[in-house]
Amino acid sequence: MHKAQRLVQLIMLVNERKKFTIQELADECGVSRRTMIRDLMELSELGVPLYSQTGPGGGYRVLREKVLPPISFTEHETMALFFACQSLQNYKSLPFKNEVDSALHKFLHYLSSELKQKIEQMQQRLVFWIPPHDIEVPFLRELLEGALEQRVITIVYEAATRRERMIQPLGIYTMSGLWYCQAYCFIAEDYRVFRVDRVKNFSNEGDQSRQIDMNEDHIKQWVMRMDESDMLELEVDLTSEGVRRCQSDLWLAPSIELHKNGAGTIRTKISSSFITWAIHFFLGLGVDANVKQPQIVREQIKNKLHDLLSQYM
């Protein structure tokens, strides 16, 4: 086996194992102990974070931040990975801190000049745009770690008022450039969604006795999930322009019934917790939307229009 092949095999071996000895690796690779020592020294110089322990039961191990073995990618796979990473660059905050930038830098460093040129050309023609928000999200990583470890934590949350809450995070997700945390709230005794930028303080709760088992729950099944305990009928008549604008909304689009003249009607159910959103959304459509029900949304839109008219009298 050539030395280069042996080093690739060695990187894969040390990443698979929690602990190993020089002799074990030498026997597996079919080389002498002295050769294996030289190979391990070369891996260390290449950046593989090796750590040695002396004495009985000692040996080598790879530190917590392991490196991946060399992987070969096709040209299209390379472009897909590059733009997937680049699509995160409009986020001011990420739970990985600066790792995205360093990963892209390493990635580009090893590409051929021809492939680099293709990626540069594609950057001028292809953009995965996410609305940038200049909003600080100081506790994003801590909330993710709390979800991973299923810890009970205490946050100070700012909505209409600033209030301390004890929660157990289920996970975090991002939508339209903003970060959200789905969690169980021990004050409400129910699941709630928290805007991560509105978390103003964070502390680990010392008493974990209130921890609940959420291992069967996954963040995907909770994203944009509505509270089904208090649902209201939503019916809205739309002009053709109203249809066009509502089709851009991922949640409303599937519930639009189209008419032959291009107009349409929305018929679906809405949680009472979304009433405020519905008032502002359909008010923003002006004459292109006519809310028939729920009555509370219709009445609130009328009240806001009356207040608006008074403001401009």
Side-chain angles (χ1 to χ4, degrees):
M1 182 185 294
H2 294 296
K3 182 180 178 180
Q5 292 174 306
R6 193 171 68 246
L7 288 177
V8 170
Q9 181 188 7
L10 196 54
I11 291 176
M12 297 176 71
L13 284 173
V14 299
N15 270 284
E16 289 173 358
R17 301 180 183 183
K18 291 184 177 179
K19 191 171 71 172
F20 50 87
T21 65
I22 292 174
Q23 194 59 55
E24 286 172 351
L25 293 181
D27 292 342
E28 193 150 352
C29 293
V31 297
S32 67
R33 180 184 174 87
R34 180 178 295 180
T35 299
M36 183 51 61
I37 291 173
R38 286 200 301 266
D39 286 351
L40 289 173
M41 289 177 64
E42 287 200 38
L43 286 192
S44 183
E45 290 172 0
L46 288 170
V48 179
L50 295 174
Y51 170 74
S52 63
Q53 287 181 310
T54 58
Y60 282 80
R61 64 180 69 226
V62 180
L63 294 179
R64 182 172 176 265
E65 292 202 6
K66 295 185 177 182
V67 293
L68 292 173
I71 305 172
S72 297
F73 296 107
T74 66
E75 182 176 299
H76 286 164
E77 288 171 340
T78 300
M79 289 184 176
L81 287 171
F82 177 83
F83 282 99
C85 287
Q86 197 185 53
S87 68
L88 299 174
Q89 291 188 327
N90 280 336
Y91 284 95
K92 184 172 182 178
S93 299
L94 290 168
F96 332 109
K97 294 189 177 176
N98 298 321
E99 282 87 342
V100 173
D101 290 335
S102 63
L104 276 176
H105 179 75
K106 290 177 183 177
F107 198 60
L108 281 171
H109 179 74
Y110 290 101
L111 295 182
S112 67
S113 57
E114 181 184 358
L115 190 50
K116 283 181 184 177
Q117 187 177 8
K118 282 189 176 182
I119 287 178
E120 288 171 1
Q121 290 173 344
M122 190 171 287
Q123 281 181 291
Q124 298 173 16
R125 307 289 182 228
L126 177 64
V127 174
F128 293 91
W129 189 78
I130 295 168
H133 290 275
D134 191 26
I135 300 175
E136 296 292 337
V137 192
F139 301 109
L140 180 61
R141 190 167 190 145
E142 287 82 354
L143 287 168
L144 177 58
E145 288 174 353
L148 290 171
E149 298 173 15
Q150 288 295 280
R151 292 198 312 267
V152 178
I153 61 175
T154 300
I155 62 172
V156 174
Y157 190 70
E158 189 174 76
T161 59
R162 184 175 287 211
R163 187 178 181 187
E164 188 174 274
R165 293 174 179 266
M166 186 185 297
I167 66 171
Q168 183 175 331
L170 172 63
I172 61 173
Y173 65 93
T174 180
M175 186 171 61
S176 300
L178 295 171
W179 288 97
Y180 299 86
C181 176
Q182 182 77 45
Y184 184 85
C185 177
F186 291 94
I187 294 177
E189 297 184 338
D190 201 357
Y191 287 92
R192 292 289 186 270
V193 176
F194 299 94
R195 272 260 303 268
V196 178
D197 58 282
R198 292 178 180 171
V199 176
K200 301 304 178 183
N201 205 351
F202 174 99
S203 61
N204 287 308
E205 181 66 32
D207 180 13
Q208 296 293 315
S209 61
R210 302 183 69 175
Q211 187 180 91
I212 61 175
D213 184 9
M214 296 199 295
N215 289 327
E216 297 301 317
D217 291 327
H218 301 282
I219 187 64
K220 284 184 179 180
Q221 68 194 49
W222 286 92
V223 174
M224 288 298 290
R225 178 172 172 176
M226 289 194 177
D227 181 7
E228 297 179 358
S229 62
D230 189 14
M231 302 295 286
L232 301 170
E233 295 289 339
L234 177 68
E235 182 180 347
V236 186
D237 288 337
L238 303 170
T239 65
S240 56
E241 174 62 14
V243 168
R244 187 187 65 81
R245 294 172 68 180
C246 287
Q247 283 175 332
S248 300
D249 187 279
L250 292 175
W251 176 66
L252 288 175
S255 60
I256 300 174
E257 299 174 8
L258 291 174
H259 306 322
K260 290 181 179 180
N261 62 355
T265 301
I266 293 173
R267 288 191 178 89
T268 187
K269 291 182 181 292
I270 186 172
S271 169
S272 59
S273 61
F274 279 71
I275 284 176
T276 301
W277 170 84
I279 292 167
H280 288 93
F281 181 84
F282 292 112
L283 181 60
L285 294 182
V287 296
D288 292 312
N290 184 0
V291 177
K292 298 296 186 179
Q293 53 177 327
Q295 192 62 28
I296 186 173
V297 173
R298 185 177 177 85
E299 291 300 322
Q300 286 294 323
I301 289 177
K302 287 166 64 177
N303 291 340
K304 285 190 176 294
L305 286 171
H306 181 269
D307 293 341
L308 189 63
L309 182 62
S310 300
Q311 184 175 320
Y312 284 92
M313 290 295 287

